């Protein structure tokens, strides 16, 4: 069956839905027909939610987590330990760590992992910003940086790169890595909270 059977607006919706991760052409078609059947209110609410998230959500000026204000909720929370920074690849990685209830420090979101093959160099990530945070932490000096990048090749390379950079700049700061036990090659966001909680509690010094 050719795509040309659909009216252009329907085809456009299928094309846009098909750009979402994990959505193949068949699923995109199914979702498009679901939206076509939905009430105007429901379909409008979906469109409005997408528009609002793009308009209102930006990155925290301190940790680069998602935020609807200059600073994210975690950076604004005075009860969180400011001497402890957990470094993750993506904003989505903060959620599984929060779910473990093992961690009461702050975060630093890199925006990805080092991958020379894909042309992702240290300058493409928020690494210099992390060093600056550690070096200029005035009234609340950083005691420990937990490297919680994914247990993948690129995640490990990123952790080693940052550990080395921190050793040179802030030798007094303890640098730790999540304990093994996480499924190798998998992303943090797929780890269950018990495993991730144990990996956090058992983190080792690099
Ligand atoms: Zn923040």
């Amino acid at each position: 069956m050719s795509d040309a059977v659909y009216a252009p607006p329907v085809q456009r919706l299928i094309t846009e839905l098909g750009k979402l991760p994990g959505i193949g052409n068949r699923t995109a078609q199914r979702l498009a027909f679901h939206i076509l059947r939905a009430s105007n209110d429901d379909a409008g609410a979906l469109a409005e939610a997408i528009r609002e998230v793009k308009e209102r959500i930006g990155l925290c000026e301190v940790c680069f987590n998602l935020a609807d204000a200059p600073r994210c909720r975690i950076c604004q929370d005075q009860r969180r330990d400011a001497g402890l920074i957990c470094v993750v690849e993506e904003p989505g990685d903060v959620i599984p760590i929060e779910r473990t209830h093992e961690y009461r420090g702050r975060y630093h979101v890199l925006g990805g992992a080092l991958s020379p093959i894909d042309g992702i160099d240290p300058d493409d990530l928020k690494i210099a910003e992390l060093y600056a945070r550690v070096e200029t932490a005035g009234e609340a000096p950083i005691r420990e940086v937990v490297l919680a990048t994914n247990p993948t090749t690129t995640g490990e390379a990123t952790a080693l790169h940052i550990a080395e950079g921190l050793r040179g700049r802030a030798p007094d700061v303890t640098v730790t890595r999540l304990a093994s036990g996480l499924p190798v090659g998998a992303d943090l966001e797929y780890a269950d909270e018990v495993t991730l909680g144990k990996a956090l509690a058992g983190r080792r010094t690099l």
Side-chain angles (χ1 to χ4, degrees):
M1 188 169 64
S2 156
D3 288 343
V5 295
Y6 298 120
V10 178
Q11 185 52 50
R12 182 178 163 211
L13 179 58
I14 294 170
T15 303
E16 294 305 319
L17 290 167
K19 292 177 185 170
L20 297 171
I23 306 292
N25 194 47
R26 287 186 83 90
T27 307
Q29 289 180 33
R30 216 168 49 233
L31 291 171
F33 282 104
H34 176 84
I35 291 167
L36 282 165
R37 275 196 310 272
S39 67
N40 284 354
D41 280 356
D42 282 350
L46 174 62
E48 186 49 41
I50 292 171
R51 196 193 315 276
E52 189 185 16
V53 87
K54 294 307 292 179
E55 273 171 11
R56 296 204 30 209
I57 303 296
L59 297 182
C60 171
E61 62 184 12
V62 177
C63 75
F64 305 98
N65 189 10
L66 298 178
D68 60 1
R71 294 195 176 193
C72 73
R73 280 151 212 262
I74 292 169
C75 286
Q76 285 180 46
D77 186 347
Q78 294 302 317
R79 293 164 303 175
R80 304 283 303 220
D81 184 350
L84 188 56
I85 295 179
C86 181
V87 178
V88 294
E89 293 182 20
E90 301 289 350
D93 297 331
V94 169
I95 294 146
I97 293 176
E98 286 296 287
R99 260 197 243 117
T100 66
H101 302 292
E102 285 281 341
Y103 184 71
R104 296 300 299 162
R106 311 284 174 104
Y107 289 92
H108 191 89
V109 182
L110 296 171
L114 292 177
S115 180
I117 292 170
D118 303 311
I120 301 174
D121 302 317
D123 289 349
D124 298 313
L125 306 176
K126 304 292 185 194
I127 292 178
E129 289 84 348
L130 173 65
Y131 295 157
R133 259 181 98 179
V134 172
E135 285 176 310
T136 62
E139 75 278 18
I142 310 295
R143 301 186 313 277
E144 180 183 347
V145 174
V146 186
L147 298 171
T149 49
N150 290 328
T152 55
T153 315
T154 55
E156 294 294 350
T158 308
L160 289 176
H161 177 88
I162 293 174
E164 203 172 316
L166 285 171
R167 249 195 304 277
R169 289 171 178 81
D172 295 338
V173 174
T174 305
V175 180
T176 56
R177 181 87 174 110
L178 295 183
S180 50
L182 292 171
V184 173
D187 282 0
L188 223 57
E189 58 178 315
Y190 300 119
D192 70 275
E193 52 235 60
V194 175
T195 307
L196 191 51
K198 279 185 185 157
L200 261 172
R203 61 189 185 265
R204 58 193 157 76
T205 307
L206 277 183

